[in-house]
Amino acid sequence: DVKVTQSSRYLVKRTGEKVFLECVQDMDHENMFWYRQDPGLGLRLIYFSYDVKMKEKGDIPEGYSVSREKKERFSLILESASTNQTSMYLCAIQLAGVEDTQYFGPGTRLTVL
Amino acid sequence: AQKVTQAQTEISVVEKEDVTLDCVYETRDTTYYLFWYKQPPSGELVFLIRRNSFDEQNEISGRYSWNFQKSTSSFNFTITASQVVDSAVYFCALMGGSYIPTFGRGTSLIVHP
């Protein structure tokens, strides 16, 4: 079974705080993704990574950065959290191969006060 | 550019009714994949099905069935004899040559007892 874990299910932070969201996978997959999900907007891609120390911007990278020092861990960083970053954050991994499918972690509901 | 449209924002049915969730897509890729995911209230996106563009056979899995029609660029999802546990947000997604999926905005299905 594919297993993707995220460090917290619920998180409450204050405006201006630095926030780390972590995603860990146990299947040695190379491709990892961070999305945010907002009502009526679906999933929007923030950043993704194809390998250690590699990162690519998605559709909405502003206000976020990422870190991938080890293959199994992909961190999303909010350098200075703002209220408009209150959202559901979803991490996904992608199986390598011809037919790729994304598998998701349980999500982190972040509230920025 | 890829696009996925789920025109139904919310559907409300009574248990045991059949319900169809619509998904229309746009892509210039000749090879692509289509997906359906289920997001129950707990938040985690659960992979349901993947279809590639060369396989237009309809698929049935228990009470779930999928109708893929390239002629109309649609990949619709039908739940037969709906149950309360089917209540969730359902996402349709499209993945082309970039292997970066594009998600629809989701359809919220509410099944009343």
Side-chain angles (χ1 to χ4, degrees), chain B residues 92-105:
Chain B
C92 179
L94 166 69
M95 182 187 290
S98 70
Y99 292 107
I100 304 293
T102 297
F103 286 84
R105 295 191 174 191

Side-chain angles (χ1 to χ4, degrees), chain B residues 8-69:
Chain B
Q8 305 149 309
T9 304
E10 183 175 297
I11 301 175
S12 185
V13 299
V14 177
E15 217 171 12
K16 298 185 183 175
E17 280 188 49
D18 297 347
V19 57
T20 295
L21 283 60
D22 298 331
C23 174
V24 175
Y25 62 92
E26 296 176 27
T27 181
R28 292 181 180 175
D29 291 324
T30 53
T31 301
Y32 53 89
Y33 299 94
L34 294 161
F35 304 83
W36 276 97
Y37 287 86
K38 174 183 180 180
Q39 186 180 41
S42 60
E44 182 172 350
L45 262 76
V46 178
F47 165 73
L48 294 178
I49 190 171
R50 175 187 61 239
R51 216 66 185 141
N52 74 53
S53 52
F54 298 108
D55 183 1
E56 286 192 71
Q57 281 192 346
N58 292 331
E59 182 154 338
I60 298 174
S61 177
R63 296 184 297 107
Y64 294 172
S65 62
W66 291 269
N67 182 4
F68 175 28
Q69 292 197 340

Side-chain angles (χ1 to χ4, degrees), chain B residues 81-113:
Chain B
S82 60
Q83 299 177 2
V84 172
V85 293
D86 295 327
S87 296
V89 180
Y90 292 86
F91 290 95
C92 179
L94 166 69
M95 182 187 290
S98 70
Y99 292 107
I100 304 293
T102 297
F103 286 84
R105 295 191 174 191
T107 297
S108 177
L109 174 64
I110 302 168
V111 181
H112 299 280

Side-chain angles (χ1 to χ4, degrees), chain A residues 1 10-11 19 41 43 45 52 54 69 75 79 88 90 95-96 103 110 112:
Chain A
D1 277 358
Y10 300 93
L11 207 53
V19 182
L41 297 179
L43 276 70
L45 182 63
V52 175
M54 288 184 63
E69 297 296 319
S75 302
E79 295 287 343
M88 173 72 143
L90 292 161
L95 301 174
Y103 293 92
L110 172 67
V112 183

Side-chain angles (χ1 to χ4, degrees), chain A residues 43-105:
Chain A
L43 276 70
R44 293 181 291 167
L45 182 63
I46 306 172
Y47 268 97
F48 59 101
S49 168
Y50 287 137
D51 205 344
V52 175
K53 297 198 185 293
M54 288 184 63
K55 61 183 180 183
E56 298 284 345
K57 292 181 180 178
D59 299 320
I60 52 164
E62 297 77 20
Y64 303 94
S65 62
V66 289
S67 171
R68 193 162 182 203
E69 297 296 319
K70 293 184 179 180
K71 197 171 192 177
E72 68 270 19
R73 190 180 299 267
F74 190 35
S75 302
L76 180 69
I77 304 161
L78 287 66
E79 295 287 343
S80 179
S82 62
T83 55
N84 63 14
Q85 292 178 310
T86 292
S87 186
M88 173 72 143
Y89 290 88
L90 292 161
C91 174
I93 63 172
Q94 196 171 51
L95 301 174
V98 177
E99 294 181 325
D100 287 9
T101 301
Q102 287 193 339
Y103 293 92
F104 286 81

